[in-house]
Amino acid sequence: MPQPNFSPRRSVLYVPASNARAVAKIPSLACDAVILDLEDSVAPADKIPARESLAAIFANRPAGPGEIIIRVNPLGGEWGADDLLAAIACAPDGILLPKVDTPRDVLEAGDVLDDKDTAETVRLWAMIETPRALVNIAAIAELGRDPAARLSCLVAGTNDLVKETGMLATADRRYLTPWLMQMVLAARAGGLDILDGVANDFRDTEAFSRECGEAAAMGFNGKTLIHPSQIEQANAVFAPSPEALAEAAEIVAAFELPENSGKNVLALDGRMVERLHLIQAEKLLAKAAAIKGANQ
């Protein structure tokens, strides 16, 4: 059975499009993806220059990360509509929409891409960072089942959620965790990838490692980052372990045996293994292969 396609998104680094020095470092980064940011990390006075810098950046598209995404400003605001048009002209791998509240926000952005005859390879990512987005998360994520909607990935905007709800931000994220799990559940129902929010203190490596481990355990595909020093740890935590890969290979090999052809359930090392475990194993091996390919 062929392995599914997989784009690793273990480490996704925000890079302000207004910071020429940071942009110049992109080819040397070992992250799986970069988000060229026009929104939160760019001051109001730099919004237009940052947008105008995109054309030059993509004229000599940086090598290195597997995907380059552009985060625009909110489409209903002062800069968003022009940001979207500039991003479309660059043909990035994806466009990250902030402040998504309802499915309509994604669909309207998709309509603009369609009107501009944008290649189908340009996908949409959605920030989940408002109370309305959480209330509507199932409907938003369901767009992942419709290829015409272009939705590929959800991104947890944890800082904005804390601000908008007034919740107490604790080191263990105890009050945030139920919402993070809700996002993961919706993303999986919609067939989407889901990325955890940023860790604000990049110098606190212990806290960052803990957040990565918890996010991986919750089912997140990876984590958004604010500093290159976080890349190596995120890559390690969100990669399949050698033990998991060995078990996956064993499951695949067992189902490939002639005597197991057509079987839905096998006994393997004293436990029952179903075809759903085969699918999981194939996905894990595909993920490892994609990571290995990206590192070569």
Side-chain angles (χ1 to χ4, degrees):
M1 185 178 295
Q3 292 182 340
N5 292 327
F6 180 84
S7 296
R9 291 167 178 164
R10 300 165 297 167
S11 53
V12 181
L13 178 70
Y14 287 106
V15 176
S18 57
N19 188 332
R21 290 181 60 187
V23 171
K25 293 179 181 178
I26 290 176
S28 67
L29 299 176
C31 53
D32 288 332
V34 160
I35 298 174
L36 287 170
D37 192 22
L38 301 177
E39 196 211 12
D40 283 346
S41 64
V42 178
D46 295 329
K47 295 287 189 184
I48 294 177
R51 179 200 304 149
E52 293 173 343
S53 73
L54 293 177
I57 293 171
F58 278 86
N60 297 284
R61 175 174 168 144
E67 293 180 294
I68 299 182
I69 313 300
I70 297 173
R71 179 165 70 168
V72 298
N73 283 282
L75 299 188
E78 179 180 354
W79 304 287
D82 288 336
D83 284 353
L84 182 59
L85 294 177
I88 290 171
C90 294
D93 296 296
I95 298 172
L96 176 55
L97 306 174
K99 305 299 187 290
V100 168
D101 284 330
T102 71
R104 175 53 52 188
D105 296 326
V106 177
L107 293 172
E108 289 179 352
D111 288 343
V112 177
L113 269 66
D114 292 341
D115 289 343
K116 297 296 180 181
D117 294 324
T118 309
E120 293 182 3
T121 53
V122 179
R123 312 304 294 173
L124 292 174
W125 293 21
M127 295 289 302
I128 305 300
E129 56 185 344
T130 69
R132 287 190 69 195
L134 277 174
V135 169
N136 295 312
I137 184 66
I140 293 170
E142 187 63 22
L143 294 177
R145 296 294 177 185
D146 179 6
R150 297 177 182 258
L151 188 61
S152 172
C153 187
L154 302 180
V155 181
T158 46
N159 284 335
D160 278 273
L161 278 173
V162 168
K163 175 175 70 75
E164 293 295 330
T165 61
M167 74 158 58
L168 178 64
T170 60
D172 61 4
R173 303 202 295 180
R174 70 181 70 178
Y175 303 116
L176 190 62
T177 296
W179 294 343
L180 295 174
M181 291 297 300
Q182 187 179 356
M183 292 183 208
V184 171
L185 184 64
R188 296 298 171 248
L192 299 169
D193 278 359
I194 174 81
L195 304 177
D196 190 18
V198 300
N200 296 314
D201 187 353
F202 63 86
R203 294 164 297 185
D204 191 342
T205 56
E206 182 178 344
F208 178 72
S209 179
R210 182 176 63 251
E211 282 194 18
C212 285
E214 292 171 351
M218 281 187 263
F220 282 91
N221 295 86
K223 193 164 180 67
T224 47
L225 315 175
I226 60 171
H227 195 275
S229 64
Q230 298 173 317
I231 294 172
E232 183 177 0
Q233 184 66 28
N235 283 347
V237 173
F238 287 98
S241 68
E243 296 78 12
L245 289 175
E247 181 181 357
E250 186 179 14
I251 291 172
V252 171
F255 274 98
E256 288 178 345
L257 292 173
E259 60 267 30
N260 293 330
S261 177
K263 290 185 179 180
N264 287 327
V265 182
L266 304 177
L268 183 63
D269 296 332
R271 63 190 180 96
M272 300 305 294
V273 178
E274 302 178 47
R275 283 202 171 267
L276 66 88
H277 298 115
L278 173 61
I279 294 172
Q280 292 173 332
E282 289 173 335
K283 287 182 178 179
L284 196 69
L285 293 172
K287 179 177 182 177
I291 290 170
K292 182 178 180 180
N295 292 336
Q296 291 177 346

